[in-house]
Amino acid sequence: MSRTIFAANWKMHHGPVDARTFMRAFLPLHRSMPQREIWIFPPAVSLESVAQALRDHGDMLTGAQNIYWEPQGAFTGELSAPLAHQAGARAVLVGHSERRHVFGETVPQTAKKIRAAIDGALIPVLCVGERTEEREAGTTTAVIEQQLAALDDCSTAERRTVIIAYEPVWAIGTGHTATPDDAATVHRTIRASLVGRGVEATEVTILYGGSVNPANAAVLLREPEINGVLVGGASLDPAKWRAITTAGLD
Ligand code: PGA
């Protein structure tokens, strides 16, 4: 049985006080489950609070939502991989659609962040996904292939460590989830692309993200192509998050 990753992207919510409150509510509800891992991506200021709350939980880790590619220096306002690691991060989201489309992050920048993450001992979670107009124009595969090109500077061994999150932009925060079939079709394309870059199909971990909630998580996770979920809005509430992380077990 392969592992399933439940990743929470808190975006710009839950500062250190709220993060501790969340953990105090969530941890008593949580039971460690075989092959299920919980990864929490809080805002940078809350990394340490979350890391401390998780320190006795081998099935959970925390990660940063974004990093800059330089390890240190005069870069006011930025967070580097070594600094995030020191705060307790063990993973990092790279190329989230909000980074690409709100902050104008480019594929070459995403590639530099993946390099920085690997060099800084953070597991990169590379987010890819098409916009509505790209889907309607039939260019989903081309758009995702271009986004996956950020992996071309990595060695095959490094590529094996990267997690991919497929998040169609039209599904993020909209309540419109891709059907398991639609998601699986794109996941197969992503898997083939990674295989083309030297990674074994079974080594590729692909999460689905975009309006995942307690009502649709189980049906998405029944799809063998979907190796986990990346959840925004519904991950902010401890009870909803518990329902998602236990989806399909009842
Ligand atoms: P959502 O966000 O679950 O609120 O759609 C997902 C994400 O942006 O990672």
Side-chain angles (χ1 to χ4, degrees):
M1 194 163 101
S2 61
R3 67 176 175 169
T4 305
I5 296 175
F6 295 81
N9 173 12
W10 285 355
K11 309 194 181 189
M12 205 166 67
H13 302 281
H14 290 346
V17 174
D18 297 338
R20 277 191 288 272
T21 306
F22 177 98
M23 285 301 163
R24 268 199 300 275
F26 175 68
L27 290 177
L29 303 174
H30 171 70
R31 296 282 168 275
S32 164
M33 295 159 280
Q35 304 299 333
R36 290 197 175 207
E37 294 178 22
I38 297 180
W39 295 19
I40 300 197
F41 295 87
V45 288
S46 305
L47 272 171
E48 215 178 334
S49 307
V50 174
Q52 276 175 9
L54 299 185
R55 66 179 178 269
D56 298 327
H57 294 267
D59 59 330
M60 298 197 220
L61 60 75
T62 191
Q65 295 175 10
N66 179 41
I67 49 166
Y68 186 57
W69 49 82
E70 292 292 341
Q72 77 267 309
F75 303 102
T76 302
E78 292 297 321
L79 173 71
S80 70
L83 297 189
H85 194 277
Q86 197 175 112
R90 295 296 176 262
V92 60
L93 301 180
V94 180
H96 187 275
S97 80
E98 286 143 26
R99 298 305 316 170
R100 295 180 195 270
H101 303 307
V102 181
F103 298 101
E105 191 168 303
T106 63
V107 171
Q109 290 174 335
T110 302
K112 287 201 223 180
K113 291 182 180 193
I114 292 171
R115 163 66 33 226
I118 293 170
D119 292 348
L122 299 178
I123 302 163
V125 179
L126 172 62
C127 305
V128 299
E130 79 288 5
R131 289 189 272 195
T132 308
E133 57 274 28
E134 292 161 340
R135 188 174 191 84
E136 283 167 359
T139 57
T140 298
T141 303
V143 166
I144 289 173
E145 192 48 48
Q146 208 186 14
Q147 293 169 339
L148 290 173
L151 295 170
D152 288 349
D153 297 339
C154 300
S155 68
T156 305
E158 288 168 344
R159 267 177 225 141
R160 287 197 179 104
T161 67
V162 178
I163 309 282
I164 308 292
Y166 169 54
E167 298 203 304
V169 181
W170 47 269
I172 296 179
T174 59
H176 301 299
T177 322
T179 64
D181 265 7
D182 278 350
T185 303
V186 179
H187 282 217
R188 263 189 288 278
T189 311
I190 293 171
R191 206 172 296 276
S193 179
L194 271 282
V195 168
R197 289 178 170 83
V199 185
E200 294 283 329
T202 51
E203 292 174 333
V204 184
T205 302
I206 310 173
L207 316 183
Y208 168 78
S211 296
V212 175
N213 60 42
N216 61 25
V219 67
L220 286 161
L221 288 166
R222 263 204 297 275
E223 171 51 59
E225 274 294 330
I226 300 179
N227 310 123
V229 285
L230 177 55
V231 187
S235 72
L236 293 171
D237 174 75
K240 282 190 191 159
W241 183 233
R242 182 191 186 265
I244 291 172
T245 56
T246 55
L249 294 181
D250 313 319

